[in-house]
Amino acid sequence: MLRIGLTGGIAAGKSVVARRFAELGAVVVDADLLARAAVEPGSEGLAEIVAAFGTGLLTPDGALDRPALGRLVFADDGARERLNAIVHPRVRAGAARLIDGAPAGAVVVEDIPLLVETGQASRFHLVVVVDAPDELRLQRMVDQRGMRREDAEQRMAAQVSRADRLREADAVLANDRGLADLLAASDTLWHQRLLPFRNTLDAGGHEPGANVQPAEAGLPGTSGLSRRIAAKLRAALPASSAASIVESRRGAARHPPDDVSAAAVSVLSGAGEEFDSLSGAIAAAGFPRVGAAAPPGAGGPFATHRWADPATDVTVVVTAPPAPA
Ligand SMILES: CC(C)(COP(=O)(O)OP(=O)(O)OC[C@H]1O[C@@H](n2cnc3c(N)ncnc32)[C@H](O)[C@@H]1O)[C@@H](O)C(=O)NCCC(=O)NCCS
Ligand SMILES: Nc1ncnc2c1ncn2[C@@H]1O[C@H](COP(=O)(O)OP(=O)(O)OP(=O)(O)O)[C@@H](O)[C@H]1O
């Protein structure tokens, strides 16, 4: 299963991309829909909202008055945090249930507006950011959704900045032109990068000959490949692991000024840590092993892994300290 996190600021175009990926065969998990389901009439979630904010936020027929709650929480950070604490755990539980039901070879796309805000980037094989300038997104909210400009600005201010979101992007879909361009870029990303990535994961090894153009793979706009890889590796290891993860500058040296399409990262297991389980966790996270692990020699065992992403050249070398004599 390939796990994609799809995100973008409000009105960036996430839903357009999610619908396209669904047409192409993805299993799409929509956090906004799950958030609505969590507060349906009769739900525990709605009861908690009433307990926190009072019955004034219900419509006469007992449903959540979404515009009224929106006016409250986008003007008050504390209220928004209380609402998030009620809704977000339910969204995550609902997403986990849907993902458990997806077939083994699925490409699962989680459409999560607050993916970066909630610190989830490193749990995905790839984070795809749909990106559009703030002014264009404001215009869409005003023109197409009939929002007041002040309300649109307030919602935008409740989210991370465009730059902070882009820091977490493994692929960027620029949406500053027409819808046809966005759909074409989504199709290309799907065929050139997502499907080959999924196929490599399923086969447990590398498909030879992948040669994706950076623009087709959504690499322009990304940055800090080795930083993102190190975070994915850290997230893949058990919390108890004492392994140290070191970003090498190889990618940066070859692709100045930043590492975008090549990186090398080393993982040094902690003392007493089981080498095979460490290497296995890294393989399972999207970095299949290349060849067999070297048997323990004078320097201890080591194994080379490569990221299954066909658009980048990422090597992860896993080493263990030599066994005590
Ligand atoms: C405040 C609510 C009732 C307003 O409802 P409304 O129908 O007007 O908006 P809708 O839910 O369709 O959200 C539209 C967009 O607003 C933005 N947004 C929504 N909630 C938040 C939030 N808590 N923080 C920042 N942005 C948000 C997202 O970009 C989202 O896609 C609703 O957004 C809500 O319950 N939010 C809390 C849950 C949440 O965080 N949802 C977003 C992802 S899980
Ligand atoms: N390139 C485009 N040209 C014109 N309109 C667009 C373009 N991309 C998106 N839109 C429109 O802008 C609005 C916002 O797009 P969309 O709903 O996909 O955003 P979103 O990122 O899912 O927003 P939200 O965070 O609110 O869920 C929609 O009405 C959509 O049809």
Side-chain angles (χ1 to χ4, degrees), residues 133-150:
D134 291 356
E135 186 51 40
L136 189 53
R137 295 189 291 124
L138 286 169
Q139 265 171 31
R140 286 183 191 147
M141 285 186 265
V142 171
D143 297 346
Q144 301 184 23
R145 296 185 178 168
M147 288 174 75
R148 295 189 314 159
R149 190 175 167 99
E150 306 84 84

Side-chain angles (χ1 to χ4, degrees), residues 83-95:
L83 175 65
N84 288 346
I86 295 169
V87 178
H88 290 176
R90 292 181 161 86
V91 170
R92 289 191 191 197

Side-chain angles (χ1 to χ4, degrees), residues 214-301:
E216 295 183 339
L219 291 184
T222 66
S223 66
L225 178 60
S226 52
R227 166 180 49 79
R228 286 179 279 117
I229 294 297
K232 288 182 205 291
L233 292 169
R234 174 57 64 206
L237 300 181
S240 60
S241 170
S244 41
I245 298 175
V246 182
E247 300 167 37
S248 120
R249 301 303 297 160
R250 178 175 77 99
R254 287 194 356 198
H255 299 268
D258 201 352
D259 52 348
V260 165
S261 63
V265 176
S266 318
V267 179
L268 179 65
S269 76
E273 213 161 332
E274 224 253 295
F275 179 80
D276 284 335
S277 71
L278 186 68
S279 175
I282 288 168
F287 302 85
R289 211 183 252 188
V290 186

Side-chain angles (χ1 to χ4, degrees), residues 3 9 17 36 77 89-90 109 138 148 159 193-194 240 265 276-277 287 318 323:
R3 296 190 59 166
V17 175
R36 282 170 189 263
D77 293 349
R90 292 181 161 86
V109 174
L138 286 169
R148 295 189 314 159
Q159 303 186 343
R193 192 169 182 189
L194 306 192
S240 60
V265 176
D276 284 335
S277 71
F287 302 85
V318 185

Side-chain angles (χ1 to χ4, degrees), residues 28 69 75 97 105 142 192-193 242 274 317:
V28 172
L69 183 57
R97 276 193 299 275
V142 171
Q192 300 288 327
R193 192 169 182 189
E274 224 253 295
V317 175

Side-chain angles (χ1 to χ4, degrees), residues 8-17 19 32 111 113 130 140 144-145 159 175-180 182:
I10 185 163
K14 293 177 297 298
S15 307
V16 171
V17 175
R19 271 195 300 276
D32 275 341
D111 176 351
V130 186
R140 286 183 191 147
Q144 301 184 23
R145 296 185 178 168
Q159 303 186 343
N175 184 22
D176 53 359
R177 291 181 292 164
L179 276 174
L182 179 62

Side-chain angles (χ1 to χ4, degrees), residues 107 145 168 198:
V107 178
R145 296 185 178 168
E168 303 297 339
R198 191 275 314 268

